[in-house]
């Protein structure tokens, strides 16, 4: 066989093998589920659907929703109640369908609370790290509930655990939101001695959220515990200094100070009533708004940012 023929046969063989290798890589890539926290996806499912336009009347384009771990317990005393988890997921998806970009931060008090562990003699830093892991459990549970309803969701953890969640990267989080995905920030700030309230304020500022919405089991902020005092009065609007000076149970002082320094409004509202998140996003006057006395909402005419 001539040298020219041998060269032609080698090229033909290499071309066939290359195509086979490319096909194998494409198949493996489609089934690996890269970027979906390990969940397998077919190739056609990896493409995001078009992000819905903002519905008429929506007041906020991008929000950060802060949920306590206790919100997942429902009527139980510990852990995650499936019916309550499903209700929360349905409400989030309903608001997301309005074109609102939603990021979430969950507490871990339904599983483990760092301060409680510290009070029982455990090292505070050690206890706080355990609390951060509890928030990861809650985040993965909510992700599963959202994705089972067809919503693309990403969990970004402040503590790297690549087999469970993506590492928190600010630009990646913003890109996920722009692509119409729901984003859950897990593991707090990644540092002990900081609460998930502080994590919510910090992440909201990093991603350019227009408001922090703190979901609670009461209608808003009261001057005293409404469950113990029938004459408790609810505030419709408070300044950051009011909250700090009166020591009101809105968020911890670090979170309030962060929001105050960056003019980020906080809305405290009741999430146990179905449809309240949607009502708030559409501008209904629910709950208690915390902002500077002369500060305009970021969505009002003339507001900066």
């Amino acid at each position: 066989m001539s040298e020219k023929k041998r060269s032609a046969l080698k090229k033909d063989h290499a071309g066939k093998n290359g195509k086979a290798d490319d096909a194998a890589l494409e198949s493996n890539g489609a089934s690996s589920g890269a970027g979906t926290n390990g969940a397998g996806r077919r190739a056609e499912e990896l493409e995001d659907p078009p992000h819905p336009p903002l519905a008429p009347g929506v007041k906020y384009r991008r929000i950060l929703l802060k949920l306590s771990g206790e919100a997942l317990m429902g009527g139980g005393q510990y852990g995650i109640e499936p019916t309550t988890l499903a209700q929360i997921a349905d409400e989030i998806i309903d608001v997301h369908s309005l074109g609102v970009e939603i990021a979430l931060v969950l507490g871990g008090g339904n599983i483990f609370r760092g301060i409680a562990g510290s009070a029982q003699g455990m090292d505070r830093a050690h206890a706080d790290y355990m609390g951060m892991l509890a928030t990861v459990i809650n985040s993965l549970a909510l992700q599963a509930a959202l994705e089972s309803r067809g919503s693309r969701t990403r969990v970004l953890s402040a503590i790297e655990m690549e087999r469970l969640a993506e590492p928190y990267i600010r630009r990646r989080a913003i890109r996920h939101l722009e692509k119409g995905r729901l984003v859950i920030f897990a593991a707090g700030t990644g540092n002990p001695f900081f609460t998930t309230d502080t994590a919510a304020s910090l992440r909201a500022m990093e991603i350019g959220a227009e408001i922090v919405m703190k979901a609670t089991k009461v209608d808003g902020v009261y001057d005293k515990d409404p469950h113990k005092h029938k004459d408790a009065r609810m505030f419709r609007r408070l300044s950051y200094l009011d909250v700090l000076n009166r020591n009101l149970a809105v968020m911890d002082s670090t979170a309030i100070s962060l929001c105050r320094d960056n003019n980020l409004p906080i809305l405290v509202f009741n999430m146990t009533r179905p449809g309240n998140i949607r009502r708030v996003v559409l501008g209904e006057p629910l709950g208690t708004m915390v902002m500077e006395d002369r500060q305009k909402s970021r969505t009002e005419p003339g507001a900066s940012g």
Side-chain angles (χ1 to χ4, degrees), residues 115-124:
I115 292 177
S118 176
Q120 294 174 7
M122 187 180 292
D123 175 74
R124 173 65 191 272

Side-chain angles (χ1 to χ4, degrees), residues 67-143:
L67 296 170
S68 66
E70 288 85 347
L72 303 180
M73 292 193 306
Q77 299 297 316
Y78 178 83
I80 300 169
E81 207 278 311
T83 304
T84 301
L85 183 67
Q87 178 192 336
I88 291 171
D90 287 338
E91 294 235 10
I92 292 169
I93 289 173
D94 177 50
V95 174
H96 193 238
S97 69
L98 298 174
V100 179
E101 297 174 359
I102 304 176
L104 301 105
V105 169
L106 281 78
N110 57 320
I111 298 172
F112 187 87
R113 187 181 292 277
I115 292 177
S118 176
Q120 294 174 7
M122 187 180 292
D123 175 74
R124 173 65 191 272
H126 197 85
D128 280 354
Y129 280 121
M130 292 173 66
M132 290 178 215
L133 295 179
T135 71
V136 176
I137 293 173
N138 286 338
S139 298
L140 293 175
L142 182 58
Q143 181 190 32

Side-chain angles (χ1 to χ4, degrees), residues 12 41 50 60 80 102 104 106 113 124 149 169 190 236 250 263 277 289 299:
D12 182 56
R41 292 285 186 272
Y60 306 104
I80 300 169
I102 304 176
L104 301 105
L106 281 78
R113 187 181 292 277
R124 173 65 191 272
R149 289 158 172 76
I169 300 172
R236 283 294 177 187
V250 177
N263 292 331
I277 305 178
M289 183 70 79
T299 58

Side-chain angles (χ1 to χ4, degrees), residues 100-208:
V100 179
E101 297 174 359
I102 304 176
L104 301 105
V105 169
L106 281 78
N110 57 320
I111 298 172
F112 187 87
R113 187 181 292 277
I115 292 177
S118 176
Q120 294 174 7
M122 187 180 292
D123 175 74
R124 173 65 191 272
H126 197 85
D128 280 354
Y129 280 121
M130 292 173 66
M132 290 178 215
L133 295 179
T135 71
V136 176
I137 293 173
N138 286 338
S139 298
L140 293 175
L142 182 58
Q143 181 190 32
L146 291 165
E147 289 195 334
S148 69
R149 289 158 172 76
S151 181
R152 285 164 174 78
T153 309
R154 301 291 186 267
V155 174
L156 276 63
S157 173
I159 298 175
E160 290 190 17
M161 42 186 79
E162 60 184 14
R163 295 199 179 193
L164 299 177
E166 297 179 16
Y168 171 72
I169 300 172
R170 173 180 170 270
R171 291 173 66 90
R172 179 182 289 180
I174 293 172
R175 186 61 177 152
H176 284 323
L177 291 168
E178 290 172 346
K179 282 182 168 287
R181 299 164 184 160
L182 293 166
V183 175
I184 304 174
F185 297 120
T189 65
N191 301 292
F193 305 102
F194 291 94
T195 67
T196 50
D197 281 346
T198 299
S201 301
L202 177 62
R203 297 291 182 247
M205 288 179 286
E206 287 183 302
I207 64 172

